Amino acid sequence: MKALITGASSGIGKEISKYLASFGYDLYVVSRNKEKLDKIYKNFKVKVTTIGLDLSDYNNCIKLHDMLKDKNIDLLVNNAGFGDAGFFNNTSLDKEIDMIKLNVVSYHVLTKLFLKDFIKKNHGRILNVASMAGFMPGPNLATYYATKAYVLNLSLAIYEELRQLNSNVKISVFCPGPVDTNFDNVANSKFRVSYISSEYASRYAIDNMFKNKLIIIPSNMKLNHLLIRLVPTKLILKVNSLIQGKNKDEIEK
Ligand SMILES: NC(=O)c1ccc[n+]([C@@H]2O[C@H](COP(=O)([O-])OP(=O)(O)OC[C@H]3O[C@@H](n4cnc5c(N)ncnc54)[C@H](OP(=O)(O)O)[C@@H]3O)[C@@H](O)[C@H]2O)c1
């Protein structure tokens, strides 16, 4: 069995890779920093191929698929992503375009190309790492939340298409709340709710993916998920603005 994991040098991607290795999966792991990947994966007992690519470049997503399309990948985990906290009128447009290219375009391209291969073989799985952010708007992290809504909705629609095709190919979408990773350092964000560990989050995601769950929400966020659907949008905006995404320096004052 072979798995391709993007964003495997840190946080959720690293823990998902470790957990998949414990099931005997050979790994293809991707991040921009190949040296870091080589260090992390050097003592793994399974076969690991480390690939340094910037997936915010569309051409690199195509290149990745070209490199691996004949390797009989069984599982694609789209995970590489980042956020950037701040009011939309202040945040960097260049950074946001890169975010959309990574969080949206790379997921879109890799999902499409590997899905086509999987459908041909009538075998394969895709796990898209979205977020609870996909279910609601996120003041202070507006673009990030919007990217996650894209991933969530794309994955759900594909699920139904696979069902109509009677395909054995599976797709799941992982929607955790805050996870203790390097995310906040990159995004300069801080959430006023408890964080789960990346190890717990990743095991939860993979265990439920193997149970063919479509939307995977860790237990600590199940009530929030329900409330999001019941509470009026303007109230969600206020509450969400209070609990998340404030500039980290401001919160730690
Ligand atoms: N942490 C949370 O609270 C949380 C909650 C819900 C969902 N998520 C989602 O979980 C996923 C993983 O995030 P994380 O929390 O584990 O964050 P993280 O610790 O910062 O890991 C991000 C990973 O993405 C890679 N990456 C970043 N930019 C890349 C690029 N342009 N090309 C290729 N790889 C790139 C990073 O490696 P390099 O820097 O070496 O490239 C790293 O391996 C993201 O999609 C995030 O949105 C996180």
Side-chain angles (χ1 to χ4, degrees):
M1 301 280 270
K2 295 176 186 171
L4 163 61
I5 304 101
T6 71
S9 66
S10 171
I12 296 170
K14 185 167 96 177
E15 292 302 328
I16 282 181
S17 302
K18 270 194 208 165
Y19 196 42
L20 289 172
S22 75
F23 291 104
Y25 274 83
D26 289 334
L27 306 176
Y28 294 88
V29 289
V30 188
S31 85
R32 286 167 300 184
N33 191 335
K34 184 174 174 354
E35 265 176 36
K36 194 171 172 191
L37 291 170
D38 287 338
K39 248 188 220 160
I40 293 170
Y41 292 96
K42 91 169 171 248
N43 293 324
F44 272 50
K45 302 262 180 302
V46 295
K47 188 166 178 254
V48 184
T49 308
T50 59
I51 303 166
L53 279 179
D54 181 348
L55 294 177
S56 64
D57 180 341
Y58 166 83
N59 294 311
N60 285 338
C61 299
I62 304 285
K63 188 168 158 187
L64 181 63
H65 176 257
D66 279 346
M67 283 163 68
L68 302 183
K69 65 184 178 207
D70 298 323
K71 301 287 184 196
N72 274 322
I73 301 287
D74 302 281
L75 166 63
L76 163 66
V77 182
N78 276 310
N79 165 76
F82 74 95
D84 186 31
F87 274 19
F88 189 71
N89 60 315
N90 289 327
T91 44
S92 151
L93 180 58
D94 284 347
K95 211 168 172 183
E96 279 162 356
I97 297 300
D98 280 348
M99 193 196 304
I100 293 166
K101 285 181 183 165
L102 183 64
N103 297 12
V104 174
V105 178
S106 82
Y107 277 59
H108 184 109
V109 173
L110 294 174
T111 297
K112 189 178 213 51
L113 297 180
F114 282 97
L115 184 74
K116 279 169 174 273
D117 298 344
F118 290 167
I119 288 175
K120 258 188 223 145
K121 294 185 287 183
N122 202 22
H123 169 80
R125 278 184 188 279
I126 298 175
L127 174 65
N128 281 337
V129 178
S131 167
M132 278 302 288
F135 295 108
M136 60 194 148
N140 284 317
L141 273 168
T143 307
Y144 175 73
Y145 272 61
T147 65
K148 292 300 175 181
Y150 185 95
V151 172
L152 174 61
N153 285 307
L154 182 75
S155 309
L156 298 185
I158 292 170
Y159 169 87
E160 175 58 18
E161 291 176 4
L162 288 170
R163 193 192 64 76
Q164 289 181 24
L165 289 170
N166 262 329
S167 175
N168 280 329
V169 177
K170 309 284 183 225
I171 189 163
S172 301
V173 57
F174 183 41
C175 300
V179 184
D180 189 9
T181 68
N182 200 37
F183 179 91
D184 279 347
N185 292 327
V186 174
N188 195 29
S189 58
K190 183 84 185 166
F191 298 82
R192 287 194 179 96
V193 288
S194 57
Y195 285 61
I196 57 174
S197 74
S198 50
E199 188 183 3
Y200 173 79
S202 305
R203 286 172 179 244
Y204 192 91
I206 296 300
D207 290 345
N208 282 285
M209 177 198 75
F210 283 135
K211 289 179 195 160
N212 298 330
K213 289 271 156 59
L214 170 57
I215 304 178
I216 303 171
I217 300 174
S219 329
N220 70 324
M221 283 291 139
K222 286 208 172 17
L223 181 61
N224 301 45
H225 180 234
L226 182 70
L227 289 175
I228 290 162
R229 287 186 289 178
L230 299 175
V231 172
T233 307
K234 284 187 180 170
L235 184 56
I236 290 181
L237 286 167
K238 279 189 193 152
V239 174
N240 203 19
S241 185
L242 282 176
I243 39 180
Q244 64 77 39
K246 279 263 189 247
N247 187 291
K248 195 179 173 202
D249 307 327
E250 204 179 295
I251 280 189
E252 284 174 351
K253 255 187 216 165

